Structure formats: C-alpha cells, structure tokens
Amino acid sequence: MRKILLFIGVSTMFVSCGGVKKTQEALNAGDYTNAINTSIQRLTENKSKKGNQQYILLLEEAYKKNTERELRHIAFLEKDGNEAGYEGIFKAYTGLRRIQERIRPLLPLRLVEENRDAQFEFNNYENEIIDYKEDLSEYLFDNAEELLTNAVTKQDYRRAYDDFLYLEEINPGFEDTREKMEEALEKGIDYVSVAVVNNSQQIIPARLSEHLLNFNTYGLDERWIKYHTNHLINLKYDYDMQIWLETIAVSPEQLSEKQIIKEKQVKDGFKYAEDKNGNVVKDSLGNKIKIDKFKTVRCRFDQFIQTKSARVSGQVLFVDLKTKQQIDNYPISSEFIFEHSYASANGDERALDDDLRPLLKLGAVPFPTNEQMVYDAGEDLKARIKKILMRQRFH
C-alpha cells in the first residue's frame, strides 16, 4: 500500500510539474491567453493547494504582459485612425475586461513564500467598450447596408446578412438591423422547385410520391436553401430538382420449403447405480446414487419461407433555371425484401435446436401488396435522397 501511495504521489508531482512547465513555455512564447486560462483553471480547482503556488506567479506575470500588449495594440489602432480597426479595439477592450472578471473571484491569491498577495492592476474599461461598440456598430451597419444595396449575387446578400447578424450579436436592436437582416435573408435564399418524374412505365403509388415530396420529414436545416414541392406562381425559382423514377419492379410472391432431420441424445429418466454384485450403491449420506438414462430422439423439421422483393431506382437531377443547364446528377436505388419464416415438426420436438422451436409457433402471413412493397423501398430511397441534399451545393 505504501508503494502504491508513493507511486500516486510521484505521478501527481510529475503531472503537476509538467503542467507548470507547459504554462511557462506558453508564457515565454507570448501565448498569454493559454497561460492565463491554464492558471485560472488550476487555481479555480484549488487556489490554496501548495502545488498551485507556481500558477499564481504565472498568472500574475501573464496578466501583466497581456494587458501591456493589448493596450499597445489599442494605442496603435487608435493612432492609425482606420475605421476598420474599431473591431480590433472593441475586442481588445472586451477581452481585457473578461480576464479581469475571471480573476476577481479568485482574489486574494496568497504567495506564501514571498509573504504577499499577487498584484493585479485592474482598470475600468466600460466607457471605452461602450464608445467603441457604438463606433463599430456604425461602421458595420454602414458597410453591411452598402453591401445589401449594391448586391449583385446571392452571395452578396448572404455576406450582408452575416455582417448584420454579427452586429445584432454585439449590439442587439441597433437602428433597423433586424429589418435589414430579414431583407438580406429573403434575397439570399436559393429557391428550389421539386418534382417527382415517372419514367418507369409503372404507376407510382400515391403514398410514395407524397412521401418523397414531404420535405418536412427530411430534417434539413438549410438557411439559404428552400425546397418547394408546391410551386408558388409569383416566386422566381433558382433551381429545379427532379426525382426521376426509372425502374419500379416487384418480384412474384414465393414460398420455398426446406426439410431438416434432427437427432439428439436426451435424458430419459434414471436408474440407480449398482456394484458388480448388483447391489444399489449409496453415497456417504446413505442416499441411493442416481444415473441419468439417455435415448436418441428424432424429428423432421419442415421450414417454409415466404419472400417478395421490390426495387426502385432512378436519379436525382439539379438544373440551374437561369442558365437552363444541368449542374448535378446523382443515381439512386433501393431494394426492400419481405421475408417471413414458419415451420412444422413431425417427431419428438426435443431433438430441435433452441433457435428452431420459435418458428413452430408461427404460421403463414399475407404477403404485402405491391404498393406497400414499393412504398417500403421508398423509405430507403428517401434516406439516400437526404444524403444527396445534405452535400448538394448550388454555388
């Protein structure tokens, strides 16, 4: 036990030293964020732990150097005077404030060997954050509005939307940002007209067609693509999606039979053990010793298998309605197989294996209709179409 405890203690020490070393390396490399995050995490877990004293020193140094660097960066951007630097200044100030708020709950942090508390010079950046948030908001709004006004392609509208979305995140409700977002969203959407085309020379079950066109069940989460199966007259569609069904084949109903003869040694009562003189043998408690008797049993097992299959195949085509050119073509196919087994037995059923006996409780069932078979094949077909939709890119 002492050896185990010693091993755990040594292992813990090495892990702790390794963490301190990596944090020191991050600090030396100017990766102050990593050094600060690691130190705060360790001290949050236990700031009074002796092994975490080094993290207090690392946090103190990393905080000081990070603050100095960020303030120099802010001063440079302010001196440069470029409005594009507003975002950098705003993020720098908010970052400085965020670090301070993470350190505050840990204070005081006592450095035992130096007999002092760690020193952190905190500043109030609220006015700067508010001022530059306003400047940045104005800058973002003007740029996004210009992009929206002069948009030529759907991609332009989407970029404008992303800019308005970012503005809404940092300054909710700024001017008419939400209205502009809605406008950019509406104009940036690709509208796709969807239809099922029957080239199979067979009648498509109405349920299958409805099932394939029910896009609410596809589970798609596309902001910029809307699929319409009920076409709107006043809407200009960008693309046409056609689900061509070229083969619909249903096999005949089949009933096959196979026969198996099973034999097994089974217990069939018992007899008492006897010695060479014919006397019954008893155990140490005086009980007669029993010996199992076995016999061979035989059973004929007749298994019946009902089978029927349906296959649906075709392709999914995408057409650019502006250029009238086909842009993508994906083959699709699916097969559904119905199979049901039941059985009868003639003989001693004890000869049958455990996996065969449940079939004796079953009987023949009605075969699915052709329509149901084709519909069931369409279930897998729909899953394949969903995969196509998830990777389809129109731009």
Side-chain angles (χ1 to χ4, degrees):
M1 177 61 72
R2 291 179 61 188
K3 289 183 178 180
I4 294 175
L5 291 175
L6 178 61
F7 173 77
I8 294 174
V10 173
S11 299
T12 303
M13 180 182 70
F14 276 119
V15 170
S16 177
C17 291
V20 169
K21 182 179 179 181
K22 289 183 178 179
T23 307
Q24 182 68 61
E25 290 174 351
L27 178 60
N28 295 340
D31 187 1
Y32 303 135
T33 300
N34 189 7
I36 290 172
N37 288 339
T38 303
S39 299
I40 290 177
Q41 178 184 346
R42 294 289 184 144
L43 295 171
T44 300
E45 292 170 358
N46 189 348
K47 72 174 186 177
S48 302
K49 184 178 178 182
K50 184 177 180 181
N52 285 342
Q53 282 283 292
Q54 193 65 29
Y55 285 108
I56 299 178
L57 287 169
L58 291 169
L59 178 59
E60 186 180 47
E61 184 178 358
Y63 172 80
K64 179 181 179 182
K65 291 184 175 180
N66 181 73
T67 301
E68 291 173 349
R69 184 174 66 182
E70 291 300 290
L71 291 177
R72 287 196 304 271
H73 180 60
I74 290 171
F76 170 77
L77 292 175
E78 288 178 333
K79 186 175 182 180
D80 183 55
N82 191 331
E83 291 182 337
Y86 290 161
E87 183 176 5
I89 298 174
F90 173 72
K91 286 185 175 180
Y93 275 128
T94 54
L96 289 171
R97 183 177 184 276
R98 187 182 306 113
I99 292 172
Q100 290 184 171
E101 295 308 308
R102 293 177 64 197
I103 294 176
R104 284 185 196 276
L106 295 172
L107 300 181
L109 290 172
R110 189 68 179 173
L111 288 164
V112 178
E113 291 186 4
E114 298 184 18
N115 193 29
R116 69 178 180 87
D117 290 337
Q119 298 299 308
F120 300 94
E121 184 180 345
F122 289 165
N123 298 297
N124 188 344
Y125 300 114
E126 291 182 0
N127 290 336
E128 289 83 355
I129 290 174
I130 292 172
D131 290 343
Y132 276 103
K133 181 173 72 171
E134 192 69 19
D135 292 340
L136 176 59
S137 298
E138 291 283 357
Y139 173 74
L140 289 173
F141 185 87
D142 291 344
N143 279 273
E145 186 176 43
E146 182 179 358
L147 182 57
L148 177 63
T149 302
N150 300 319
V152 177
T153 67
K154 301 257 183 181
Q155 297 300 319
D156 293 334
Y157 290 114
R158 295 177 187 182
R159 284 194 291 271
Y161 175 88
D162 290 338
D163 288 347
F164 283 122
L165 178 62
Y166 175 56
L167 174 54
E168 181 66 15
E169 289 172 354
I170 64 173
N171 197 355
F174 182 81
E175 296 190 11
D176 56 345
T177 296
R178 293 171 185 170
E179 290 78 1
K180 297 292 185 181
M181 279 178 61
E182 289 299 320
E183 180 184 350
L185 176 63
E186 183 179 347
K187 293 180 178 179
I189 291 174
D190 279 323
Y191 290 96
V192 184
S193 170
V194 186
V196 173
V197 180
N198 184 10
N199 287 335
S200 67
Q201 309 300 317
Q202 302 288 331
I203 297 176
I204 299 177
R207 279 205 310 155
L208 174 59
S209 182
E210 293 172 1
H211 188 54
L212 294 178
L213 292 177
N214 186 0
F215 272 64
N216 292 329
T217 61
Y218 279 90
L220 300 174
D221 185 19
E222 290 282 357
R223 172 181 292 163
W224 299 114
I225 304 175
K226 299 298 180 185
Y227 297 93
H228 285 185
T229 55
N230 295 318
H231 305 165
L232 303 178
I233 298 176
N234 297 326
L235 180 63
K236 183 179 180 181
Y237 288 92
D238 303 283
Y239 299 94
D240 193 16
M241 173 183 172
Q242 300 175 6
I243 305 173
W244 286 36
L245 300 182
E246 298 170 340
T247 302
I248 298 178
V250 181
S251 74
E253 299 172 356
Q254 296 182 345
L255 178 63
S256 58
E257 178 183 356
K258 64 178 180 180
Q259 189 179 93
I260 306 173
I261 304 299
K262 303 292 289 186
E263 290 187 353
K264 185 184 291 185
Q265 290 282 322
V266 298
K267 188 188 296 186
D268 185 41
F270 67 92
K271 64 180 180 178
Y272 291 110
E274 297 177 348
D275 60 19
K276 61 182 179 179
N277 297 320
N279 299 315
V280 175
V281 179
K282 298 180 180 180
D283 59 23
S284 59
L285 298 177
N287 299 315
K288 295 178 180 180
I289 298 176
K290 297 178 181 180
I291 299 176
D292 291 332
K293 293 170 61 177
F294 291 88
K295 74 173 183 177
T296 301
V297 294
R298 188 171 184 271
C299 183
R300 190 185 77 193
F301 183 83
D302 295 309
Q303 183 176 1
F304 305 92
I305 305 173
Q306 296 175 262
T307 56
K308 185 177 181 179
S309 64
R311 183 174 181 274
V312 180
S313 64
Q315 55 184 320
V316 177
L317 306 176
F318 291 96
V319 177
D320 187 328
L321 294 177
K322 185 176 181 180
T323 64
K324 306 300 181 183
Q325 297 294 315
Q326 178 179 307
I327 56 174
D328 283 303
N329 179 3
Y330 302 94
I332 52 172
S333 65
S334 173
E335 184 175 26
F336 177 78
I337 298 176
F338 165 80
E339 184 175 287
H340 174 73
S341 295
Y342 62 98
S344 63
N346 186 0
D348 194 325
E349 294 182 8
R350 291 181 296 171
L352 300 178
D353 298 330
D354 291 341
D355 61 330
L356 297 179
R357 290 174 187 168
L359 295 177
L360 298 176
K361 299 178 182 180
L362 304 177
V365 297
F367 282 92
T369 64
N370 289 2
E371 180 180 355
Q372 182 62 46
M373 292 290 296
V374 173
Y375 178 81
D376 289 336
E379 280 288 336
D380 181 60
L381 200 67
K382 186 166 185 175
R384 296 174 188 271
I385 293 173
K386 179 179 178 178
K387 289 182 179 180
I388 292 172
L389 295 175
M390 292 178 67
R391 66 173 184 261
Q392 175 63 28
R393 295 294 177 266
F394 293 103
H395 294 280

